[in-house]
Amino acid sequence: MEEIVRRFSHAQPVHQTGAIAPTARTRVKRIPKRASYDRDAIYSILDTALVCHVGFAIGPQPYVIPTLHVRIADRLYVHGSAASRMLGAAAGGTPLAVTVTHIDGLVLARSAFHHSVNYRSVVILGAATLIADQAEKLVVMKGLIDHVAPGRWEHIRHPNEKELAATWVLSLPIVEASAKLRSGDPLDDEADYALPVWAGQIPIATKTLTPIFDARVDPSTPVPAHVMEYRLPANRGARIT
């Protein structure tokens, strides 16, 4: 199985650079100066997040489901149970809207109207395809686990045929996407700058805590380095895939 993963990994497309052409659906209209269509900027926002939200509709009912994801080259992958309503709808051709958002801080202005947040976000639109090839599915599952916890794949039992059959993986091409970002101080009305009101930013950071043993792990089992030295995707630096 490891040889299958290795051979297929080498056949993956390379990281693309440059801008993603905006479409009528992805062009940012509200405060367009905050938009970015740069592929590296979009990839960075995706790569430094653990969770995305997948929006879809079944008949008149819309749904938004949070799920783990991984980007490999120019595609975003999500996975789940073969019984998943979201995966089933997407595999049947239902269009998807996928979002990722980082909240970097609160922006406290002098007026209620100009309070805001500093953020980085991405929206991807499109139709996903169900991956049937076992080798590709394994590569994505390895990529997903190593995105969540780098190095973990080498320490665990890999999926067997029954587990692979019970797991669906969707591939969404990143061809219709845009990012929107805000940073910096509040932007108050000029007349409000004279008000005796504190204004500024409250930065927000997420951190991990000390690992906790599973109650059924032998206490003599050593804690691997990838656990003790774990860093969130946002703290690992840029990656190129």
Side-chain angles (χ1 to χ4, degrees):
M1 183 175 293
E2 200 61 30
E3 174 63 18
I4 293 175
V5 172
R6 187 190 66 77
R7 283 190 284 106
F8 193 86
S9 296
H10 290 310
Q12 289 295 293
V14 298
H15 177 102
Q16 297 187 48
T17 59
I20 296 177
T23 67
R25 301 196 303 172
T26 59
R27 187 180 297 278
V28 175
K29 297 179 181 179
R30 171 66 179 156
I31 316 183
K33 66 181 181 181
R34 294 182 182 167
S36 175
Y37 307 98
D38 178 73
R39 191 179 299 273
D40 285 342
I42 290 170
Y43 286 179
S44 176
I45 293 169
L46 297 173
D47 294 349
T48 52
L50 286 173
V51 174
C52 69
H53 287 78
V54 181
F56 60 101
I58 299 178
Q61 178 60 55
Y63 298 90
V64 178
I65 305 295
T67 187
L68 298 174
H69 69 276
V70 65
R71 179 192 65 83
I72 301 176
D74 59 353
R75 291 180 173 270
L76 191 78
Y77 296 89
V78 298
H79 82 301
S81 167
S84 163
R85 175 166 49 190
M86 174 187 75
L87 297 181
T94 297
L96 302 181
V98 179
T99 65
V100 165
T101 304
H102 298 272
I103 300 297
D104 297 319
L106 306 180
V107 181
L108 306 185
R110 294 159 183 83
S111 67
F113 183 79
H114 288 296
H115 277 62
S116 186
V117 294
N118 286 332
Y119 63 89
R120 292 162 290 135
S121 64
V122 163
V123 174
I124 307 171
L125 304 177
T129 55
L130 185 65
I131 294 177
D133 183 87
Q134 184 189 59
E136 185 178 2
K137 186 185 288 190
L138 279 170
V139 167
V140 174
M141 294 178 72
K142 177 182 184 298
L144 180 65
I145 286 180
D146 281 342
H147 172 60
V148 173
R152 187 67 181 167
W153 185 261
E154 306 304 325
H155 289 257
I156 59 176
R157 178 181 67 77
H158 298 164
N160 57 38
E161 290 187 8
K162 181 179 179 181
E163 291 167 337
L164 281 174
T167 304
W168 278 12
V169 176
L170 288 178
S171 169
L172 178 65
I174 308 173
V175 295
E176 195 171 5
S178 61
K180 192 174 182 183
L181 310 89
R182 189 204 188 281
S183 61
D185 290 334
L187 301 174
D188 276 302
D189 294 342
E190 192 60 38
D192 288 340
Y193 283 100
L195 294 173
V197 176
W198 187 92
Q201 306 170 50
I202 302 177
I204 294 176
T206 302
K207 67 176 184 179
T208 56
L209 304 177
T210 303
I212 300 172
F213 270 71
D214 177 354
R216 296 184 64 173
V217 169
D218 185 331
S220 65
T221 303
V223 182
H226 74 270
V227 174
M228 291 301 298
E229 300 169 5
Y230 182 82
R231 291 189 297 170
L232 289 165
N235 301 322
R236 296 175 200 157
R239 68 179 176 87
I240 296 178
T241 62

